[in-house]
Amino acid sequence: MHAARRAAGWSAVLGAALVAVVVLSAGIGPVPVPAETVLKAILEAVVVPTFAGGDFAWRHPFSFSLQQSHRAIVMSVRLPRILLGALVGFALAAAGAVMQGFFRNPMADPSIVGVSSGAAVGAVLSIVAPAVLPFGFGLETTAFAGALVTAFGVYAIATESGKTPVATLLLAGVAVQTFLGAITSFLLLNAGESMREVVYWLMGHLDNAGWDDFVPVAGVPVLPLFVLACFAVLLAYARDLNVLLLGEEEAAGLGIEVERTKQLLLAISALITGAAVAVSGVIGFVGLIVPHVLRLVVGPDHRVLLPTSALAGSAFLVAADTAARSGPQELPVGIVTAAVGAPFFLFLLRKRRVHEL
Amino acid sequence: MSDQPVLSVSDLSVDLGDTEVLDGVDLTVERGELVGLVGPNGAGKTTLLRAARGTLTPDAGQVLVDGDPVASLSAKAVGRRVATVPQDTSVSFAFSVREIVEMGRTPHVPRFGAMEAADHDAVTRAMERTEVVEFAGRSITEISGGERSRVLLARALAQETPLLLLDEPTASLDPNHRLRTFETVSELVREGRSAVAAIHDLDTAARYCDRIVVVAGGGVIANGPPESVLTTPTLRRAFDVDTVVTDDPITDRPRVTVLPEDAAAAGGPDIPSVDRVHVVAGGGRAGPLLARLSRAGVETTVGPVAAGDSDATVADALEMDTVAVGALDGVDSAALDRVGELAAAAGAVVVADVDLTSGLVPVLDRVSESGKPVYCVEERSLAERTVSQAAAERYRALRGEEGVAASAPELLEALA
């Protein structure tokens, strides 16, 4: 009750901040667009179902007179990128919060079980040697597949007679990441012409994002629905995650099916992280620093921490990407998140007790 | 509720790695019983508790909780029947005390439901009972170790289970918190719950437990009420120490004193040259002396001493030949003759730091007649000890300057 109220209150605040960041970001660029125009353009896209005379139809209740160029810049160029950034930040921060709780370790991040490294191998392979991949899989598909295969592999390596000690999982993750890093480097050496493309992907980027990146199937954007569905499952396990923080033995005594819960949390985190990495490359630090900062602000209760981290991750990545694309030279957003995030993290490390969850 | 035992462990064997921790252990806990598990470190007490709540799968044997095999129950179902107060009380996450206690309701709250009024009531009751309400809003990381252990007890109470498992719940607590924890637990047990507690402190176990189970060498070596279990032979077998078990005059429960390992016993320089002494004891003054002599391997006889005197209890516990007399009867001639015989059979006679009463006069006479060297232990001044002038005179005549020791260890040196 109390937790639900706190979650709702914080989420409202951070949700409002996210909307503000999105609107401001959509106005920033080579052609500045006033915030009011951005809002109007967004409102125009809002649809409501109607049943006029028994006929079902989608209607646009809002219509404003806007400059066609402004409308096109906001809706076709900037908003897809911004919303994709919001989605990726949401996914990474949520997965990061879960992984930090799961490993009872504040230095855990969504890639800890090798998800990003696996995605990187998949992505680089599809750039460097698309011919070896079956069925003409695209980059996103191979990256996503690489992420899941790696996560499952690490889990399988660390599991013995039905138990998966988190310490083993952590070490197996580190070893597999190192191994996959070697493969990526080897592929990189032989990348030839596509070297620049590979490096760019590895740094994490959101440029050239379009509505297609939301994986529309029959007009329905699958990616956001997928991320939200994963997030809903994680949220349903927020209480279990709290109890797991007390240690697995204790959690089991308090009625948590520990191994099953761990499997599920790991699987969902891998799915949500894999989806994010597949569309945006390896964007570091969002999943590490955002949950961490939020924990200092809202406390360790995952019922509050999870939604607030996700929303803050969204806002943070949108803001970082806005900075990445509005400098004299467009940068991969991964550079910005790391360049801003790491010093801030060090500041917290010196200032406050970051070593505690 | 049914009549079946709350916990029934039969023929339980557990291997951890290559070592067999438990081998064929049986344990039954009835409703309304507080059972203490005692035993040396590494004897498998914690393992037994883990098996009892199903977080460890035994290699053989069965654990029934409320009549059902714990292995067949879901974690949630077990969590509604068994609550645990853990040994390690460090919690490093800044949850508030109330949040920690609320976690005790985890097995009762459905995944997609919130805590209901009944859950909040259980949490409040548990916090009141353990007196943690006053710091309910503070972070678990900020409170003291004693407070934290009460919070974890509250969490276990909030689970509202018929069975409570406590793993060294008071190991790191001061006497006040130790007392409060066990008072709370025994109150719950009187109300019909059951508890199994692994306890290091034998006196605490004796004081609060209805039954004590001694676990050692992978099995149960004794099981019964404290008086019948806490005995010198059993404790020797379990812990490999010599002990004296006396009745605590205040709690009327057994009190266990572990005898010190002497340098003499370990073959040090103080091996006494006499191998048999007779000790004139009484008034509870000679206990440590008798224990030292026993550790040093000196055959010791004692007397006369009043039955019920703690010196008699100690001598008894150490299986020493004792001349006991009724407290009000005084020392009769048969007793005096026996003292004379024992003194004559000994290599030396030791007069402990006893009160010099008129009853002592004939005893000192007999000692003197035996012609054996006499050693005296004088912890108090003669003036303090003098009750009868006649006895004091007799004592002075008997005591040679060289044979006077100020303490039991000094006496052993003198004997060497």
Side-chain angles (χ1 to χ4, degrees):
Chain A
M1 278 264 280
H2 188 57
R5 265 208 311 276
R6 278 179 59 221
W10 277 108
S11 299
V13 171
L14 288 164
L18 174 61
V19 170
V21 170
V22 166
V23 170
L24 286 177
S25 173
I28 294 173
V31 180
V33 180
E36 189 194 337
T37 311
V38 173
L39 263 181
K40 282 179 178 167
I42 294 172
L43 284 176
E44 274 186 342
V46 170
V47 287
V48 288
T50 52
F51 299 90
D55 290 333
F56 174 79
W58 292 100
R59 275 181 211 280
H60 295 260
F62 299 105
S63 181
F64 304 97
S65 66
L66 301 172
Q67 264 189 47
Q68 185 53 39
S69 64
H70 279 176
R71 187 179 289 140
I73 286 170
V74 170
M75 294 310 295
S76 305
V77 180
R78 292 186 191 159
L79 211 54
R81 175 172 183 162
I82 290 166
L83 291 185
L84 191 67
L87 198 59
V88 167
F90 186 92
L92 291 179
V98 170
M99 285 296 98
Q100 287 173 10
F102 182 100
F103 284 99
R104 293 185 286 278
N105 185 333
M107 293 311 287
D109 76 357
S111 313
I112 196 153
V113 290
V115 176
S116 299
S117 312
V121 170
V124 174
L125 203 59
S126 96
I127 296 170
V128 176
V132 304
L133 297 169
F135 316 121
F137 277 165
L139 185 150
E140 282 84 0
T141 316
T142 42
F144 188 58
L148 295 192
V149 168
T150 308
F152 181 78
V154 168
Y155 173 80
I157 290 168
T159 301
E160 202 186 335
S161 58
K163 295 212 187 276
T164 318
V166 290
T168 315
L169 197 59
L170 195 74
L171 294 174
V174 169
V176 168
Q177 281 186 59
T178 307
F179 179 72
L180 293 177
I183 294 182
T184 305
S185 300
F186 179 76
L187 290 174
L188 204 55
L189 273 181
N190 297 287
E193 297 279 289
S194 44
M195 172 83 93
R196 194 183 152 75
E197 196 189 340
V198 171
V199 170
Y200 208 70
W201 189 91
L202 287 176
M203 286 177 178
H205 60 91
L206 290 163
D207 61 327
N208 294 328
W211 293 116
D212 273 356
D213 288 310
F214 291 83
V215 198
V217 175
V220 180
V222 170
L223 183 69
L225 294 180
F226 178 76
V227 168
L228 287 176
C230 287
F231 177 75
V233 177
L234 293 178
L235 202 55
Y237 275 83
R239 207 159 39 202
D240 305 51
L241 212 41
N242 286 347
V243 179
L244 272 175
L245 279 185
L246 302 178
E248 291 181 14
E249 182 82 15
E250 303 255 313
L254 288 168
I256 306 290
E257 303 281 359
V258 172
E259 292 303 329
R260 215 183 59 201
T261 305
K262 277 160 65 187
Q263 275 170 13
L264 184 127
L265 291 173
L266 206 58
I268 301 288
S269 299
L271 283 172
I272 199 170
T273 309
V277 174
V279 295
S280 67
V282 185
I283 299 178
F285 253 72
V286 179
L288 173 66
I289 195 161
V290 172
H292 208 106
V293 172
L294 264 293
R295 191 175 287 109
L296 292 176
V297 178
V298 303
D301 188 340
H302 286 90
R303 289 170 293 180
V304 186
L305 182 62
L306 213 46
T308 51
S309 289
L311 289 169
S314 272
F316 175 69
L317 195 56
V318 171
D321 187 47
T322 309
R325 67 181 166 82
S326 51
Q329 181 202 353
E330 170 146 357
L331 298 170
V333 66
I335 292 183
V336 177
T337 55
V340 174
F344 184 54
F345 190 81
L346 292 175
F347 167 74
L348 287 173
L349 193 67
R350 297 289 301 182
K351 222 39 194 170
R352 308 187 57 162
R353 308 175 69 196
V354 180
H355 56 277
E356 263 180 19
L357 264 180
Chain B
M1 281 278 196
S2 54
D3 290 336
Q4 59 203 354
V6 178
L7 175 67
S8 165
V9 173
S10 49
D11 202 23
L12 183 77
S13 295
V14 178
D15 297 338
L16 292 180
D18 292 333
T19 45
E20 193 164 60
V21 179
L22 294 175
D23 181 20
V25 167
D26 295 299
L27 175 68
T28 306
V29 179
E30 303 289 344
R31 222 158 276 283
E33 227 187 351
L34 173 48
V35 175
L37 289 183
V38 306
N41 288 331
K45 302 184 295 280
T46 301
T47 305
L48 180 53
L49 292 180
R50 290 183 64 203
R53 67 170 186 273
T55 52
L56 179 147
T57 314
D59 295 288
Q62 202 178 33
V63 177
L64 301 180
V65 175
D66 250 353
D68 296 312
V70 73
S72 73
L73 296 170
S74 69
K76 234 182 163 88
V78 175
R80 284 193 285 251
R81 299 183 190 202
V82 186
T84 306
V85 182
Q87 177 172 19
D88 176 21
T89 60
S90 70
V91 179
S92 49
F93 316 104
F95 285 108
S96 74
V97 166
R98 179 180 289 278
E99 284 169 337
I100 293 282
V101 179
E102 281 176 353
M103 286 186 196
R105 297 305 292 173
T106 308
H108 298 271
V109 180
R111 173 166 311 286
F112 296 104
M115 298 227 315
E116 290 170 6
D119 299 305
H120 286 291
D121 288 351
V123 168
T124 306
R125 269 199 307 276
M127 296 209 304
E128 280 168 358
R129 198 139 200 180
T130 49
E131 301 170 49
V132 302
V133 180
E134 52 188 295
F135 44 88
R138 288 180 57 196
S139 162
I140 189 86
T141 54
E142 290 167 4
I143 59 179
S144 77
E147 291 167 334
R148 204 158 50 227
S149 83
R150 266 154 61 204
V151 172
L152 295 180
L153 179 61
R155 191 188 74 197
L157 296 192
Q159 279 181 258
E160 296 196 313
T161 56
L163 178 61
L164 207 55
L165 304 179
L166 304 102
D167 192 357
E168 309 284 3
T170 59
S172 57
L173 299 189
D174 62 39
N176 172 26
H177 281 111
R178 181 176 306 181
L179 183 98
R180 282 160 79 175
T181 297
F182 274 99
E183 291 289 345
T184 306
V185 172
S186 43
E187 206 176 281
L188 290 162
V189 167
R190 277 198 297 279
E191 288 163 16
R193 297 209 215 181
S194 313
V196 181
I199 307 176
H200 258 315
D201 183 46
L202 297 174
D203 295 336
T204 306
R207 180 158 173 194
Y208 291 103
C209 296
D210 302 306
R211 194 146 60 83
I212 289 182
V213 174
V214 183
V215 183
V220 172
I221 63 168
N223 179 354
E227 313 81 67
S228 70
V229 167
L230 296 179
T231 59
T232 305
T234 305
L235 295 173
R236 156 120 235 140
R237 219 179 125 198
F239 296 98
D240 193 27
V241 289
D242 281 327
T243 51
V244 175
V245 182
T246 50
D247 274 344
D248 188 300
I250 296 171
T251 61
D252 196 30
R253 293 294 194 123
R255 185 171 61 187
V256 177
T257 309
V258 177
L259 298 181
E261 291 263 5
D262 258 9
D270 289 338
I271 295 175
S273 53
V274 261
D275 51 9
R276 177 165 174 165
V277 298
H278 180 78
V279 178
V280 177
R285 304 297 310 178
L289 172 67
L290 298 179
R292 290 250 167 198
L293 287 167
S294 163
R295 290 302 293 179
V298 180
E299 193 182 348
T300 309
T301 55
V302 185
V305 62
D309 188 319
S310 69
D311 285 352
T313 316
V314 173
D316 234 29
L318 295 172
E319 293 166 348
M320 291 168 171
D321 198 345
T322 308
V323 183
V325 296
L328 299 173
D329 306 342
V331 186
D332 58 18
S333 58
L336 284 174
D337 289 345
R338 181 85 186 116
V339 169
E341 280 167 32
L342 290 176
V349 176
V350 177
V351 181
D353 189 47
V354 295
D355 287 341
L356 304 172
T357 59
S358 56
L360 199 61
V361 174
V363 176
L364 293 179
D365 284 344
R366 288 300 174 104
V367 166
S368 163
E369 279 164 25
S370 74
K372 300 290 177 181
V374 175
Y375 296 87
C376 297
V377 178
E378 295 185 353
E379 287 160 348
R380 298 175 292 170
S381 71
L382 274 186
E384 257 180 281
R385 291 165 60 189
T386 302
V387 177
S388 142
Q389 282 304 328
E393 269 164 39
R394 210 65 62 98
Y395 176 76
R396 268 198 214 95
L398 196 64
R399 122 196 215 261
E401 280 305 322
E402 304 227 327
V404 177
S407 62
E410 248 184 60
L411 174 81
L412 282 172
E413 271 174 48
L415 286 174

